[in-house]
Amino acid sequence: MSYGEGVQDGWVDEGLSRRMKALACTAPLHDLEVRKANQPWMEGERYQMAEVALFIIDQVAIAMDFESGARHEHVLERAQRFVGRQAPDRSGGEHGKVAAWVLESLINVRESDRAFRWKYGSINSSGAYEFKDFGFRILEERTDAQGDLYLLASHEALNVLVGALDTDVESAQIAAEVRLRNLIDRGRLADARQVAEQARVRTIQYGETIRRHLDATERNVRTVDWMQEVPDVLNEALTHVEARIHEEQAIERSILSNRDSAQDFRTKRRAAELVHIVGDCIRRHTVLQHRLLGARALFRSQQDRQQFAGTPRRAFLDLHSDLLHPSLALTVGEAAALLEAFVEGAVGPKRQAQVNLAALVPTLLAPPPVYSPFAEEEDVPGPLAPEDEVRFSAEQQRLARELLDMPDSVRTLSDVLAEAALLDDDLPELVVLAALRAYSPQLGSALRNDQDRLLIAVSASSIFEEHGFVGDDLLLSTARLDRPATVRGVEDAEERNLNR
């Protein structure tokens, strides 16, 4: 999926909004660095206010519990010692004031609602860009059951300032894939897509880390520790990448299963986008695995090249001082000749394309290639002629006719089936077919075939289950046909229809 398509669907806009909110959480820390110069009671350049703020947030987060938080005096005591390490030659009173000033700034005592404000934009459902106000807190004051104040780190501070700014790439990627699998199993494909995009960013970060080691090796093998550090990194990276490829392939199969079983078009589209993102992660990990497997060979080749390479015997050309500056003092004609000579020397001779008659003639006379994998034309299968298959033998048909020939009696279908089963195992099926046809007798067909009898079936108003057949029982009897009277009746009916 391209970047433009993501903007149209609203996915990229949501990602931008989340990152802008995360960036807003760091703004109060940068503001401390700006405002410290306006405090006349301290030497601001001696203190790193952002570091003090992060230290205070960490202390509050560590002390947080389900029902309590960090006490002001404990946080200030620890922060004062940290500030004292930055400027040990300053007084303890100034250290305490700096720590208190940073703590109050993180609580944002300057505002009545203690909230920081940040403007950001987003694209709404109609496609228009609109500004929104994001309010957040870093440290919050609460009271316990005894009425004492304590401090809590906000949700935004924990997510960004404590978590996201100190993230191990490998662990973050594993956690992201676990979360991705959980979201897919629960059918939350919209949230899973965001997690998949974050996992892809982690993949890019990890690949960039390995790439820096390999690029540094190509520049100078002496700057990289190939005795201890890099081999350990490569072993860890290979283990990590192999596990990630295995996990991502399992995630891809799970997404494909969700896509194939989904009935909703939006769900299928989101699943298809997820397949694309996870497939891109697998591709990146596969490329990274290939680079890792060849890293030691790269080190050996670079070591040989750099160790035995001769010293350069030719000075590099400075285009500015050796070419451009002298050319500006010449006329156009003189400069053109000089530049033409430089380009010919720098680019080198260009080989003209020439036709090789010895290679051209056999190519022209060669037979056309056969593209069929079987080297011959494939036969297109046509419809097969139906085979005549007689389901019932002539003997079975004769027995069925004898059973159903009952001109002076009436019998139920169940009785006839019981008798037929004694004669032949397949005979009840033939009897049922004949009885069903007799339920709507074909009088005209019997007359055309010169039959003098016709089997008639009517409902017996009862249910039977015999020899694998279940349904309404039928009363069967054979009616004799008076052919002259029947023919006259049919002719009279046709005449009446014509007169109408």
Side-chain angles (χ1 to χ4, degrees):
M1 184 182 67
S2 66
Y3 183 84
E5 293 173 348
V7 173
Q8 293 174 0
D9 290 341
W11 299 104
V12 175
D13 181 57
E14 294 177 5
L16 287 175
S17 299
R18 289 194 307 273
R19 284 179 283 172
M20 286 302 298
K21 291 178 180 178
L23 184 63
C25 296
T26 65
L29 277 64
H30 300 297
D31 185 61
L32 288 173
E33 295 290 338
V34 175
R35 292 194 296 118
K36 70 180 183 180
N38 300 327
Q39 310 302 320
W41 47 269
M42 68 173 176
E43 293 183 9
E45 67 274 10
R46 304 292 301 276
Y47 302 102
Q48 296 296 322
M49 296 303 180
E51 294 180 8
V52 177
L54 290 175
F55 180 84
I56 291 176
I57 295 171
D58 288 341
Q59 297 304 310
V60 174
I62 293 172
M64 286 173 56
D65 200 351
F66 289 102
E67 299 177 357
S68 63
R71 301 296 176 181
H72 284 73
E73 57 272 19
H74 295 163
V75 175
L76 287 176
E77 179 184 356
R78 294 176 178 271
Q80 183 176 350
R81 292 202 297 266
F82 181 81
V83 172
R85 294 180 179 274
Q86 292 187 351
D89 56 337
R90 306 300 295 176
S91 65
E94 183 174 305
H95 297 161
K97 291 182 65 176
V98 171
W101 179 73
V102 174
L103 178 58
E104 292 175 356
S105 299
L106 294 177
I107 300 174
N108 199 15
V109 297
R110 296 178 297 173
E111 299 292 335
S112 59
D113 61 350
R114 301 294 194 263
F116 296 94
R117 305 292 176 187
W118 184 270
K119 295 288 186 181
Y120 73 100
S122 66
I123 300 176
N124 57 26
S125 58
S126 62
Y129 187 87
E130 60 181 6
F131 284 98
K132 294 184 179 180
D133 186 25
F134 173 53
F136 65 95
R137 295 179 176 86
I138 295 180
L139 296 182
E140 301 177 66
E141 289 180 318
R142 300 286 179 84
T143 55
D144 56 15
Q146 291 75 29
D148 298 328
L149 283 174
Y150 63 91
L151 296 172
L152 292 178
S154 67
H155 177 74
E156 291 81 5
L158 291 175
N159 279 348
V160 179
L161 301 178
V162 177
L165 296 184
D166 184 18
T167 301
D168 176 67
V169 175
E170 296 91 336
S171 301
Q173 189 171 32
I174 295 172
E177 289 176 353
V178 171
R179 184 184 174 199
L180 176 61
R181 177 182 284 274
N182 181 266
L183 291 172
I184 293 171
D185 293 340
R186 288 189 291 161
R188 296 175 55 184
L189 298 184
D191 295 336
R193 186 185 189 282
Q194 299 169 4
V195 176
E197 290 179 341
Q198 295 172 1
R200 179 165 58 181
V201 173
R202 299 296 183 190
T203 300
I204 297 172
Q205 290 177 338
Y206 196 81
E208 185 67 14
T209 302
I210 301 300
R211 186 192 63 80
R212 286 198 297 267
H213 285 291
L214 299 181
D215 288 351
T217 301
E218 292 181 354
R219 290 192 298 269
N220 188 353
V221 294
R222 296 180 179 87
T223 61
V224 183
D225 182 11
W226 276 91
M227 294 296 295
Q228 183 67 34
E229 179 185 358
V230 175
D232 292 342
V233 171
L234 292 179
N235 292 333
E236 293 175 1
L238 274 173
T239 303
H240 171 78
V241 168
E242 289 173 359
R244 299 284 63 74
I245 291 176
H246 178 74
E247 181 67 18
E248 286 164 354
Q249 288 175 344
I251 292 174
E252 186 179 36
R253 290 193 295 268
S254 179
I255 300 172
L256 290 173
S257 176
N258 278 269
R259 184 196 64 183
D260 296 338
S261 61
Q263 301 297 327
D264 183 38
F265 173 77
R266 291 173 59 86
T267 303
K268 286 184 175 292
R269 187 184 66 177
R270 288 173 178 172
E273 292 170 350
L274 271 175
V275 170
H276 174 75
I277 295 173
V278 175
D280 185 51
C281 291
I282 295 175
R283 180 189 61 81
R284 292 177 182 274
H285 276 136
T286 304
V287 173
L288 180 58
Q289 185 184 41
H290 178 72
R291 293 292 302 273
L292 291 172
L293 293 174
R296 289 177 173 80
L298 173 67
F299 164 70
R300 290 191 293 269
S301 64
Q302 291 299 322
Q303 187 181 41
D304 294 340
R305 181 184 67 81
Q306 297 177 25
Q307 183 176 0
F308 299 106
T311 57
R313 300 181 180 179
R314 199 171 180 183
F316 290 104
L317 176 65
D318 188 349
L319 292 178
H320 183 271
S321 60
D322 296 343
L323 182 63
L324 178 61
H325 187 69
S327 299
L328 295 177
L330 302 175
T331 63
V332 175
E334 294 172 343
L338 177 63
L339 293 175
E340 183 178 355
F342 168 76
V343 171
E344 290 179 355
V347 176
K350 181 179 179 181
R351 182 174 62 87
Q352 299 293 332
Q354 296 180 353
V355 178
N356 188 348
L357 194 61
L360 178 62
V361 173
T363 303
L364 295 176
L365 297 179
V370 179
Y371 295 101
S372 172
F374 304 102
E376 60 183 8
E377 221 177 286
E378 297 182 11
D379 295 331
V380 180
L384 298 177
E387 297 181 359
D388 294 334
E389 181 180 357
V390 179
R391 176 69 176 85
F392 301 102
S393 63
E395 178 63 20
Q396 289 174 332
Q397 295 180 16
R398 183 187 65 78
L399 292 174
R401 286 194 299 270
E402 290 180 357
L403 287 173
L404 296 175
D405 186 13
M406 49 189 82
D408 300 324
S409 62
V410 176
R411 301 179 63 186
T412 62
L413 176 60
S414 55
D415 293 339
V416 178
L417 288 179
E419 185 178 350
L422 296 176
L423 299 176
D424 193 307
D425 292 338
D426 296 332
L427 193 58
E429 184 177 355
L430 180 57
V431 172
V432 167
L433 292 175
L436 292 177
R437 184 176 181 183
Y439 192 76
S440 178
Q442 302 294 325
L443 181 59
S445 176
L447 293 175
R448 286 193 296 270
N449 293 331
D450 295 330
Q451 297 179 5
D452 57 351
R453 296 181 182 184
L454 181 65
L455 182 64
I456 298 176
V458 295
S459 176
S461 301
S462 61
I463 305 297
F464 82 99
E465 183 175 356
E466 297 287 344
H467 307 287
F469 300 99
V470 179
D472 292 341
D473 203 353
L474 301 177
L475 295 176
L476 303 176
S477 182
T478 303
R480 298 180 183 275
L481 297 181
D482 187 353
R483 293 185 56 79
T486 304
V487 172
R488 287 196 303 272
V490 172
E491 292 176 351
D492 293 342
E494 293 178 351
E495 185 177 356
R496 285 195 299 270
N497 291 332
L498 292 175
N499 293 333
R500 290 178 183 177

